[in-house]
Amino acid sequence: MNIRFEKTAVLQPKPDPDTLKFGRSFSDYMFRMDFSADKGWYDPRIVPYGAIALDPASIVLNYAVEVFEGLKAYRTPDGGIQLFRPLENARRMINSAERMALPPVPEEQFLEAVTALVRTEQAWVPSKPGTSLYIRPVLIATNRDLSLHACTDCLFYVVCCPVGSYYPGGLRPASIVVEEQDVRAVRGGTGYAKCGGNYACAQRAANRAVAKNYNDVLWLDGVERRYVEEVGGMNIMFKKGNVVMTPELTGSVLPGITRRSIIELLRDQGYTVEERRIDIREVTAELENGQIDEVWGCGTAAVISPVGRLCIGGRDYEINQFRVGPVARKLYETLTGIQWGTAPDPKGWVCPVAL
Ligand SMILES: *Cc1c(COP(=O)(O)O)cnc(C)c1O
């Protein structure tokens, strides 16, 4: 790809990553590339960060035809910068795009765009422990067409923002409430695609949970309201002794890269990992008899989010006495060690960015 560069007139001051709010301040530049049905992908460029002009009748603004990704660039102890399994993000974005009938961005072009932007913005990758540069690739349908015949024009862009530590005071358990009214996704729907619509329909439940002093919701399946799916915007895992169970990927659950990495790590450590349907009644019984000893959510932003309290049918269950469990802690340390380059990477998961 021949990426054109447009220099910005003013460089923004770098914010203090300690006081940063996630996703509010962005770097100086963004990557952009256009698509049209006759030209294919064209004009890849790195341009000053700024607003995008969209037609009020564009498909994305009216029908939410868009997908996105989320990954991070990490500063290593020797001053280098690395990404974590970025090829998996590229592949997932292709699957998400196909679900929404959007033209996929080829793997190599996705990786080149992310790498070129991170290289341009290397000074924006913070170096304090626990901080990183969050990268947000987005693909939107831009043509004016209320009839929604087809997406003929698209924009792929990538922005990035420095983020502080998710846990400035160390790992902390969360309180989660099982959502009984709304559903997030159904099989055959868009649950496995990383698209904004999955978040739009989830917001109301999250707001209600916060109003009741919970951090987020546990989603059940959209048909029987019985099988566990995800926790907020993260995948979920339940540990019972030597067994860890997590919902199988049946189409309504987002295939998390953190989820996949943890499954591999746990199997290597001798745990039995079951990917299957998990009945909330089974979870309730096993919380009552104390068989479930740890629960955690997992995703790029938090890596691991231990669940210390789970409200099911109006009743609160405490997990591991609302303390961070040893396996959640060890997984967090192993994964963050690989990501920040402070521990060996036997799986070849990290991808250094040539500076
Ligand atoms: C992005 C996302 C995840 C986590 O995926 P990672 O690749 O681990 O970051 C889980 N659930 C939902 C709904 C997501 O959007």
Side-chain angles (χ1 to χ4, degrees):
M1 229 177 7
N2 202 351
I3 303 174
R4 157 167 95 74
F5 182 70
E6 214 176 279
K7 205 166 172 11
T8 179
V10 263
L11 292 173
Q12 302 298 321
K14 313 277 184 298
D16 173 6
D18 284 343
T19 54
L20 222 54
K21 282 223 167 85
F22 177 85
R24 299 279 182 83
S25 59
F26 288 81
S27 73
D28 294 309
Y29 289 97
M30 62 198 277
F31 175 90
R32 287 183 72 154
M33 180 163 69
D34 299 303
F35 176 93
S36 74
D38 35 298
K39 285 200 255 186
W41 287 108
Y42 67 96
D43 197 13
R45 56 206 188 272
I46 288 176
V47 297
Y49 182 97
I52 296 167
L54 284 173
D55 193 294
S58 64
I59 295 180
V60 62
L61 291 181
N62 290 270
Y63 303 124
V65 179
E66 70 91 49
V67 298
F68 66 94
E69 267 303 325
L71 68 164
K72 287 170 170 175
Y74 306 87
R75 180 74 70 182
T76 58
D78 62 3
I81 295 172
Q82 60 191 24
L83 304 168
F84 182 74
R85 310 188 78 177
L87 184 57
E88 300 301 323
N89 296 95
R91 289 181 175 156
R92 185 169 64 192
M93 196 173 208
I94 290 173
N95 291 337
S96 300
E98 274 169 359
R99 177 62 186 84
M100 309 301 282
L102 280 163
V105 177
E107 272 172 24
E108 322 78 69
Q109 294 186 30
F110 176 100
L111 292 175
E112 262 189 75
V114 166
T115 309
L117 183 65
V118 170
R119 195 176 297 133
T120 304
E121 297 294 55
Q122 52 184 278
W124 282 86
V125 182
S127 50
K128 276 196 184 157
T131 64
S132 57
L133 186 71
Y134 184 80
I135 304 162
R136 170 54 59 92
V138 184
L139 171 56
I140 61 177
T142 53
N143 50 303
R144 175 200 301 179
D145 190 355
L146 293 184
S147 77
L148 194 54
H149 280 317
C151 159
T152 57
D153 295 272
C154 292
L155 169 64
F156 172 61
Y157 64 88
V158 187
V159 293
C160 55
C161 55
V163 293
S165 173
Y166 199 90
Y167 297 110
L171 266 183
R172 198 164 23 87
S175 296
I176 301 297
V177 55
V178 172
E179 171 60 28
E180 285 160 350
Q181 191 181 344
D182 294 349
V183 297
R184 173 191 168 270
V186 290
R187 237 181 273 185
T190 59
Y192 72 89
K194 212 165 172 73
C195 66
N198 292 343
Y199 281 79
C201 68
Q203 195 55 51
R204 178 172 85 164
N207 293 349
R208 280 194 302 248
V210 169
K212 288 190 282 181
N213 278 319
Y214 292 90
N215 298 95
D216 218 325
V217 300
L218 180 69
W219 295 107
L220 300 180
D221 78 276
V223 178
E224 296 179 69
R225 316 272 182 117
R226 178 168 168 187
Y227 299 101
V228 173
E229 300 225 311
E230 299 202 53
V231 57
M234 285 185 272
N235 296 114
I236 186 151
M237 297 185 177
F238 300 86
K239 179 183 165 299
K240 308 186 280 184
N242 197 44
V243 175
V244 175
M245 47 186 198
T246 191
E248 62 187 336
L249 303 176
T250 52
S252 48
V253 170
L254 198 289
I257 297 161
T258 319
R259 172 188 181 278
R260 225 172 108 183
S261 307
I262 289 173
I263 291 173
E264 273 192 57
L265 291 174
L266 285 171
R267 289 194 172 137
D268 288 355
Q269 291 163 24
Y271 287 94
T272 302
V273 181
E274 298 174 352
E275 293 179 73
R276 62 171 172 89
R277 284 213 300 199
I278 301 169
D279 194 326
I280 191 67
R281 293 176 228 178
E282 172 191 346
V283 170
T284 311
E286 289 169 349
L287 285 169
E288 264 161 18
N289 68 23
Q291 270 184 285
I292 291 180
D293 47 27
E294 288 190 47
V295 180
W296 61 79
C298 56
T300 296
V303 187
I304 297 275
S305 175
V307 176
R309 186 161 59 123
L310 187 58
C311 179
I312 309 173
R315 191 181 148 193
D316 272 337
Y317 295 87
E318 255 199 9
I319 299 148
N320 195 35
Q321 297 163 289
F322 206 78
R323 290 174 320 198
V324 178
V327 174
R329 186 178 300 283
K330 171 135 189 258
L331 283 169
Y332 180 77
E333 278 161 11
T334 306
L335 267 177
T336 55
I338 295 171
Q339 289 166 338
W340 273 276
T342 57
D345 171 32
K347 307 253 176 208
W349 282 342
V350 297
C351 175
V353 175
L355 300 179

